[in-house]
Amino acid sequence: MASTIQVDKIQDQGGNTMISSNGSGTFTSNLPTTSSGYAFISKSTIGADTATLEITGLGTTYESYRFIINGLYTDNAGHPRLLFQTGDSGGYETGSNYHSGHVYLTTESSAGGGYEQLSTTGFRLCDAIGTNTNGELSGWFDIYNHSTSGKKKRLNFHFQHRRSAGGVYDKIGGGTIAVETAEDRIKLYLDSGEMEGGTVYAYGMVQA
């Protein structure tokens, strides 16, 4: 048997009103709102023969961002690397501004790591991506201080994909973009060939 509780006000033990109603279906909530987490910004679908994917509109509402990549793949058998650049309406950063370090594990029981400072290119997220959907890549990367002036941009990332040599490649790392200007966009691309599919989600980091 169904039953109904009809009240116009819900209070805590101290007499503080948490939720109230005017009796006509309009209510007021005094419950606390979320002060941290991730706010969805955009979803980008990668089509066939995509050379670059730009995500713009990353303004000053959030100073840091998370990007989730799901199912990115290529038809390039040359085992390309996935990179990105950061920039603004004046263009993208090049030169020796991108510094990254990583460690990796594979299902073939190999492991290793490395450090890289790239010139006139971008931040290296992953390499040796396998061909077609069998080699699809998924993971995430965070950029801190992206839209903040006076601070270098810091990064963390974690990706997994099928290797060109076979097996699964799991890579974790971080780094720095040695630029202290506020920027509002990123550009993803491969160092050779084109992207053929996948989805990229952008989120702003909500901070209290």
Side-chain angles (χ1 to χ4, degrees), residues 1-192:
M1 178 179 176
S3 60
T4 302
I5 298 175
Q6 293 180 311
V7 296
D8 289 332
K9 186 183 296 183
I10 299 176
Q11 295 181 324
D12 63 15
Q13 289 184 339
N16 302 298
T17 299
M18 297 184 293
I19 300 175
S20 61
S21 171
N22 66 357
S24 300
T26 301
F27 75 93
T28 301
S29 174
N30 294 316
L31 295 173
T33 58
T34 300
S35 59
S36 63
Y38 297 96
F40 175 77
I41 295 174
S42 67
K43 172 185 176 182
S44 302
T45 301
I46 300 171
D49 303 323
T50 298
T52 63
L53 175 67
E54 292 187 82
I55 300 176
T56 61
L58 307 174
T60 57
T61 301
Y62 311 102
E63 66 177 21
S64 302
Y65 293 87
R66 168 162 287 192
F67 301 91
I68 296 176
I69 301 175
N70 187 31
L72 185 152
Y73 68 94
T74 176
D75 63 1
N76 176 16
H79 320 316
R81 295 174 173 178
L82 174 65
L83 305 100
F84 81 92
Q85 293 176 332
T86 183
D88 55 26
S89 59
Y92 287 92
E93 302 293 345
T94 57
S96 57
N97 293 311
Y98 300 95
H99 310 263
S100 67
H102 67 273
V103 294
Y104 69 85
L105 297 171
T106 75
T107 52
E108 287 74 32
S109 300
S110 62
Y115 172 81
E116 194 164 38
Q117 177 175 313
L118 302 174
S119 299
T120 64
T121 179
F123 191 96
R124 174 180 167 185
L125 292 171
C126 217
D127 57 4
I129 300 172
T131 307
N132 298 320
T133 54
N134 287 332
E136 65 182 20
L137 173 148
S138 295
W140 56 266
F141 65 100
D142 293 338
I143 309 178
Y144 304 97
N145 306 321
H146 186 261
S147 60
T148 303
S149 297
K151 295 181 180 180
K152 292 182 174 62
K153 299 168 193 356
R154 311 296 186 185
L155 290 101
N156 292 320
F157 60 86
H158 187 180
F159 285 97
Q160 188 180 87
H161 65 88
R162 298 288 298 182
R163 300 173 66 223
S164 57
V168 176
Y169 183 95
D170 196 345
K171 181 178 180 182
I172 301 172
T176 297
I177 302 175
V179 175
E180 297 187 5
T181 56
E183 295 181 307
D184 64 0
R185 64 198 63 196
I186 66 165
K187 177 172 67 176
L188 290 159
Y189 63 99
L190 302 177
D191 67 343
S192 63

Side-chain angles (χ1 to χ4, degrees), residues 192-208:
S192 63
E194 296 173 326
M195 297 175 283
E196 298 297 328
T199 308
V200 181
Y201 301 88
Y203 298 86
M205 294 187 189
V206 180
Q207 298 173 319

